[in-house]
Amino acid sequence: MKFIDTHTHIYSEEFDNDRPEIIKSARDAGIRAILLPNVDSTSIEMINEISGKEPDFIYPMMGLHPTSVKGNYVKEMQTIESALAKRTYYAIGEIGIDLYWDKSRLKEQKTVFEEQLRWSIDKKLPVSIHTRESLEEVLDSMYKVGTDHLRGVFHCFGGTIPEWDEISKLSSFYAGIGGIVTFKKNMIQETLKHIPIERVVLETDAPYLAPVPYRGKRNEPAYIIEIAKKVAECYEMTIENVSKYTFQNALNLFDISIDSIDIEAF
C-alpha cells in the first residue's frame, strides 16, 4: 500500500527535536509523498529548507492562511507572491476563510482569498482550502472569481451531506479526509458514504487532529494508516483499495511525479 499525506505541517516547531525520525517513520509507513501548506511569511524559510532536503518526498505549497490575515496582510501577500516567483510550488495553500476565531476580518479574508484564487488560475496550480464555519462565504468567493479554472481540495472536510452536495458541483475539487473521521462524535462518517472515493484524498494535518488511537497526542504523517482504515470501513472496501484510489487522486490533483512508483503494481 502507498499513501500521500496531502496536508501536513511537519515544519512546525513541534517537530524540531525529531523531524528526521518523523520523516523516516512516514516512509516506513508507506507514505511516498507529503505536501506542506504554508501559513504566512514566518513559515516560508522552513518549508523551503525542508522540502529542499527531500525533493523526492516533500512537496511545498505557498499561500497565506486566513487566520494570518491581520493588519499587515498587504505586506504579507507581497511576501507570499514574491516567494511564488522564486521556486516551484505544487499548490496555493493553505488559503480560505476562518470565522471560528475572528469574524471581524471577514472582508480582508475574502480579499486575500480571492486574490490567491486568481494566482492559482494564473499559475495553473491547485488550491488547498481552509473552511471553518465559512463554507458559504468560501463558495461565494470562489464563484465570484470563477470556478471554471479552479481545482483543489477542501482541507479537513468534516461537513454535512448538504454541504458536500454544494462542493460536489465543483467537479475538480476533492474532500481532504483526516483524523476527524476516526472520532466517535462526527458527521463525516455518514457524509463520506455520499462522496465518491474518486473525490477523496487523505491528510493528517500533523501535528493537529491525531486520529484514534492517538487522539490528544501529537499527530504525524505515519498515522495516516489509521485514517485509511476508518475510510475503508465507511466505504465497506479494503484498505488496499482506499490506498489505490486516494493515492492516484492525490497524484492527479497535485501533478507531482514520483518516478519510482509503479501505479500498475496496485
Side-chain angles (χ1 to χ4, degrees):
M1 292 186 296
K2 304 293 188 293
F3 298 99
I4 294 177
D5 186 349
T6 62
H7 197 109
T8 181
H9 300 262
I10 64 164
Y11 56 84
S12 65
E13 63 183 9
E14 286 88 344
F15 297 100
D16 284 351
N17 294 328
D18 61 351
R19 192 171 290 108
E21 292 79 11
I22 291 298
I23 292 172
K24 183 180 184 303
S25 294
R27 289 184 181 272
D28 291 345
I31 296 175
R32 301 304 298 268
I34 62 177
L35 286 111
L36 304 184
N38 190 55
V39 175
D40 53 36
S41 61
T42 66
S43 50
I44 295 174
E45 183 177 356
M46 279 299 291
I47 281 180
N48 288 344
E49 178 182 338
I50 294 169
S51 58
K53 290 178 179 178
E54 302 268 357
D56 65 333
F57 184 65
I58 300 177
Y59 298 83
M61 308 183 201
M62 185 51 53
L64 182 62
H65 192 286
T67 61
S68 294
V69 177
K70 308 293 185 183
N72 66 337
Y73 76 90
V74 173
K75 183 177 180 181
E76 282 287 298
M77 286 287 280
Q78 291 171 342
T79 301
I80 299 296
E81 187 173 22
S82 176
L84 275 167
K86 293 177 180 176
R87 61 161 295 170
T88 298
Y89 294 96
Y90 293 83
I92 305 295
E94 175 178 353
I95 66 175
I97 298 174
D98 188 309
L99 299 181
Y100 176 80
W101 295 107
D102 185 2
K103 294 180 172 65
S104 68
R105 293 193 181 274
L106 174 58
K107 181 179 178 181
E108 292 89 345
Q109 286 193 38
K110 286 178 70 70
T111 296
V112 168
F113 179 47
E114 290 164 13
E115 180 63 15
Q116 292 182 102
L117 290 176
R118 295 185 188 98
W119 292 350
S120 77
I121 294 171
D122 291 343
K123 295 181 177 296
K124 297 180 173 60
L125 290 174
V127 290
S128 179
I129 298 180
H130 173 110
T131 59
R132 194 165 187 190
E133 298 187 0
S134 61
L135 181 60
E136 181 179 349
E137 291 80 4
V138 162
L139 291 173
D140 178 70
S141 285
M142 293 174 70
Y143 283 114
K144 177 181 176 182
V145 170
T147 59
D148 288 350
H149 300 289
L150 289 174
R151 59 191 174 96
V153 56
F154 281 80
H155 151 62
C156 197
F157 182 69
T160 63
I161 294 171
E163 286 173 333
W164 169 253
D165 287 343
E166 290 301 312
I167 292 171
S168 69
K169 297 174 185 177
L170 305 170
S171 60
S172 297
F173 278 81
Y174 295 76
I177 304 300
I180 293 175
V181 75
T182 69
F183 298 174
K184 284 186 177 180
K185 293 183 178 181
N186 73 85
M187 65 184 73
I188 187 58
Q189 291 180 13
E190 187 61 31
T191 303
L192 201 57
K193 299 173 184 177
H194 296 262
I195 304 176
I197 188 66
E198 293 85 358
R199 301 281 295 274
V200 170
V201 295
L202 302 184
E203 59 174 61
T204 61
D205 202 21
Y208 316 109
L209 298 174
V212 175
Y214 306 103
R215 188 174 183 182
K217 300 179 181 179
R218 181 189 68 171
N219 200 2
E220 62 175 87
Y223 296 165
I224 205 166
I225 190 70
E226 302 300 333
I227 298 168
K229 287 178 183 177
K230 180 57 71 171
V231 170
E233 180 182 316
C234 291
Y235 281 112
E236 298 182 348
M237 65 170 57
T238 66
I239 191 173
E240 287 81 8
N241 273 335
V242 169
S243 165
K244 175 182 177 180
Y245 281 108
T246 60
F247 186 89
Q248 187 62 61
N249 293 344
L251 286 183
N252 293 343
L253 173 60
F254 292 103
D255 197 26
I256 57 180
S257 176
I258 308 176
D259 295 337
S260 62
I261 294 177
D262 179 8
I263 300 299
E264 298 301 323
F266 283 107

